[in-house]
Amino acid sequence: MKKNDYVLPDHQAEAHRTKEMPQAEYGLFAMNDSLESLGKNQKYYIRTYGCQANVRDGETISGMMEIMGYTNTSEPREADVLIFNTCAVRKAAEEHVFGEIGMLKGLKEERPGRIFCICGCMAQEESVVNEIIHKYPQVDLVFGTHNLYRLPDLLHEVIETKKRKIEVYSEEGRIIEDLPVRRNQSCKGFVDIMYGCNKFCTYCIVPYTRGKERSRMMKDILKEVEQLKEKGGREVILLGQNVNAYGKDLGMEDGFTDLLIAVAKTGIERIRFYSSSPRDYSETTIQAMIDYPAIMPALHLPVQSGSNEVLRRMARGYTSEEYKDLFDRLKKKIPNITFTTDLIVGFPGETDEEFQQTLDLADYCRFDMAYSFMYSPREGTPAARMDHQISTEVKNARLQELNEHLNRWAKKNNQKYLHQIVKVLCEGRSKKNSQMYSGYSEENKLVNFSGPEGLEDQIVEVEITDVKSFSLDGRAL
């Protein structure tokens, strides 16, 4: 959809799906001499919101910026280019982005040559881009999730013309390989295995902002894992909106399990993956987790609600009973596995009885941790048009009650680690206490621990000396 010289997002086009699958495109990203010196003696600031897929996109953005000669800064005031890599899952996330852009407006007034960029999922929303056009003149460049690779050319155009540029592709999505990356951490890294989503849960904006499901070729994924390993990476996190669907579009019968096994055979020490759909989880994947110790015994398995009626209205494609059956099978076959999940309260029409069923599910599964949210209407999704929207007061009360259950079980689950020894991948010094190290155990438990110098990027045996609801304290042995 075009307006003036802008290419604007089109919600209907984003929802369109065809049977044709995009082929991987190689060599599309190229940098000429003028672009390679664009950022000489200049700095960029990037602020990433939201999920791991956004974090991985942020690493690609950083890679492109540094090829152009820019250096990274964590201080917005020092930056010549400010990039806001955004999330659209909840209204609160959007409000936070707009709040930060408004707060930093003075930097633009102080130096008009500074460039403000908005990208990511918010950029794929019609209403958001219209709001930027009319209310946020300090924003110079808007681009979407499907044309990330275009950043150098778009930035160059804004600098040369001194005109605002909005270019958001509303399409099913592409697979662009060979993009640069600047990893945020040296000991572990995210690797996209697929993009997009075809589930169209009634509350979710992601199928519109990220396009349809499209899998990367296995050889390209394994190449990236090998590169990560060669540079000292000990852990890889495989990413997809629904990793269990990997390979279906490529005609693979059991693609995700085959990929897991192939990644394990690279010899990388730890493998994790996000996120799994309960309706697609395979028995062969469970067996692979048993057969290959590198696949960590921790699973993020979003359930969203404990009520079958709410799950039906959400179009989740499974029942509470089916979820609990999968949960029980995994617990039986992998006794030390830990579970995290997503839960939504206050979905349109949710009754007190239906909310109680979510509490009952939380008490049944006793999750190690859960991301719990109040339902947030997303413009253009079916749930936003549903009758019987729940008041904020009721949603707040339900969220507080749910969190009391979740926190209690999280603390109780952690008790069993007291005085035990766990293996922790040390990510460096703790952000809250520079005297302590921080990292994650095989079970994906956050561990803060004391120890001698030089433990960064190492897998360390740690004795647990104290437990909290969502973290463990210990000392390196």
Side-chain angles (χ1 to χ4, degrees):
M1 181 167 63
K2 289 198 174 186
K3 182 179 180 182
N4 302 323
D5 293 328
Y6 301 157
V7 180
L8 303 178
D10 184 325
H11 196 80
Q12 284 189 323
E14 290 171 338
H16 187 60
R17 295 290 186 268
T18 64
K19 293 183 179 180
E20 184 179 350
M21 292 306 300
Q23 299 295 311
E25 299 180 55
Y26 303 90
L28 192 63
F29 177 79
M31 200 78 80
N32 59 40
D33 292 341
S34 63
L35 291 179
E36 285 188 355
S37 59
L38 192 66
K40 186 177 180 181
N41 299 322
Q42 296 196 62
K43 296 181 178 181
Y44 76 97
Y45 164 85
I46 182 167
R47 177 80 160 86
T48 293
Y49 307 79
C51 68
Q52 294 94 342
N54 274 21
V55 173
R56 181 63 186 82
D57 284 350
E59 292 180 337
T60 293
I61 291 169
S62 291
M64 289 188 284
M65 293 298 288
E66 296 189 7
I67 285 179
M68 289 187 285
Y70 289 92
T71 56
N72 180 251
T73 177
S74 59
E75 293 296 329
R77 186 169 293 278
E78 296 178 357
D80 301 278
V81 179
L82 293 92
I83 303 169
F84 300 88
N85 180 25
T86 64
C87 171
V89 171
R90 297 185 307 282
K91 185 67 175 175
E94 291 181 4
E95 291 170 348
H96 191 69
V97 172
F98 282 133
E100 186 161 2
I101 292 170
M103 184 177 65
L104 294 174
K105 183 180 179 181
L107 298 183
K108 182 77 169 178
E109 295 168 347
E110 174 187 292
R111 198 201 310 163
R114 275 196 176 102
I115 295 173
F116 278 50
C117 309
I118 290 184
C119 61
C121 290
M122 276 177 62
Q124 296 288 154
E125 295 184 90
E126 290 179 20
S127 60
V128 167
V129 175
N130 284 327
E131 188 169 354
I132 291 170
I133 290 171
H134 294 108
K135 295 183 180 179
Y136 295 90
Q138 66 267 40
V139 175
D140 303 282
L141 173 60
V142 180
F143 59 99
T145 59
H146 301 313
N147 61 335
L148 199 68
Y149 68 95
R150 289 262 298 144
L151 171 59
D153 292 308
L154 297 173
L155 187 57
H156 182 247
E157 184 176 336
V158 170
I159 292 171
E160 288 293 305
T161 66
K162 295 181 172 54
K163 291 182 179 179
R164 170 183 273 184
K165 181 74 176 178
I166 296 177
E167 183 179 286
V168 181
Y169 297 168
S170 299
E171 57 182 35
E172 295 176 305
R174 307 167 77 179
I175 300 173
I176 311 296
E177 294 291 349
D178 302 327
L179 293 177
V181 58
R182 176 187 179 269
R183 298 280 182 192
N184 292 333
Q185 292 176 290
S186 55
C187 64
K188 67 181 186 181
F190 297 114
V191 172
D192 291 310
I193 67 170
M194 62 184 303
Y195 308 100
C197 183
N198 291 347
K199 290 289 188 282
F200 285 97
C201 299
T202 58
Y203 56 85
C204 187
I205 196 72
V206 169
Y208 306 92
T209 63
R210 288 280 175 179
K212 74 175 177 182
E213 288 177 354
R214 51 207 191 277
S215 303
R216 294 178 68 194
M217 299 296 291
M218 189 182 292
K219 65 180 179 64
D220 294 322
I221 297 169
L222 295 178
K223 177 183 174 183
E224 190 174 344
V225 174
E226 292 281 9
Q227 290 171 341
L228 175 67
K229 184 178 167 223
E230 287 168 8
K231 292 181 179 178
R234 317 289 291 269
E235 177 176 304
V236 62
I237 303 101
L238 307 177
L239 297 181
Q241 300 301 327
N242 172 21
V243 292
N244 308 100
Y246 173 77
K248 288 184 178 180
D249 54 303
L250 300 177
M252 301 171 72
E253 187 173 330
D254 196 11
F256 182 58
T257 301
D258 292 345
L259 175 65
L260 270 182
I261 292 171
V263 173
K265 288 180 178 178
T266 66
I268 197 159
E269 293 168 88
R270 290 185 169 196
I271 303 165
R272 302 189 193 277
F273 50 89
Y274 300 110
S275 284
S276 297
S277 171
R279 67 196 271 189
D280 290 331
Y281 213 85
S282 165
E283 287 292 330
T284 61
T285 300
I286 299 175
Q287 191 59 46
M289 295 178 74
I290 296 169
D291 293 341
Y292 293 89
I295 305 172
M296 295 291 95
L299 184 61
H300 186 68
L301 195 64
V303 62
Q304 307 301 357
S305 175
S307 161
N308 288 341
E309 177 57 27
V310 172
L311 290 172
R312 184 192 65 77
R313 295 201 300 273
M314 288 179 167
R316 289 293 289 173
Y318 55 84
T319 65
S320 174
E321 291 76 20
E322 288 168 340
Y323 183 92
K324 287 188 282 191
D325 177 65
L326 174 59
F327 177 90
D328 288 340
R329 282 185 282 130
L330 281 156
K331 275 285 189 182
K332 182 177 180 180
K333 293 185 176 183
I334 311 172
N336 64 326
I337 194 171
T338 55
F339 279 90
T340 57
T341 196
D342 297 338
L343 289 161
I344 295 172
V345 301
F347 189 76
E350 183 186 62
T351 64
D352 289 340
E353 181 183 0
E354 288 166 349
F355 171 64
Q356 181 60 49
Q357 289 166 351
T358 295
L359 295 179
D360 293 343
L361 179 76
D363 290 340
Y364 181 92
C365 294
R366 305 180 180 186
F367 297 108
D368 290 85
M369 196 271 286
Y371 298 97
S372 54
F373 308 106
M374 294 187 292
Y375 167 71
S376 178
R378 304 282 70 214
E379 185 175 327
T381 61
R385 301 188 296 270
M386 288 181 180
D387 295 330
H388 309 297
Q389 298 285 329
I390 307 297
S391 72
T392 302
E393 291 76 18
V394 170
K395 288 192 284 190
N396 262 319
R398 288 178 179 175
L399 183 64
Q400 183 176 341
E401 186 175 358
L402 174 61
N403 283 341
E404 288 171 0
H405 285 246
L406 296 171
N407 294 349
R408 182 171 69 249
W409 290 122
K411 179 73 176 287
K412 189 164 186 176
N413 287 340
N414 280 351
Q415 290 291 342
K416 66 175 176 280
Y417 294 97
L418 189 61
H419 306 310
Q420 299 299 307
I421 295 171
V422 297
K423 293 181 179 180
V424 179
L425 176 56
C426 180
E427 297 181 9
R429 293 292 178 178
S430 168
K431 293 177 182 177
K432 294 183 177 179
N433 182 353
S434 61
Q435 303 302 309
M436 300 283 282
Y437 288 106
S438 182
Y440 286 85
S441 73
E442 292 178 334
E443 301 82 7
N444 211 28
K445 297 288 183 179
L446 174 61
V447 183
N448 298 300
F449 62 98
S450 60
E453 292 294 324
L455 298 183
E456 291 89 348
D457 298 345
Q458 304 301 313
I459 294 177
V460 183
E461 288 193 337
V462 176
E463 181 183 5
I464 302 305
T465 57
D466 192 19
V467 301
K468 300 179 175 65
S469 292
F470 301 109
S471 65
L472 308 172
D473 291 344
R475 61 180 183 88
L477 297 181

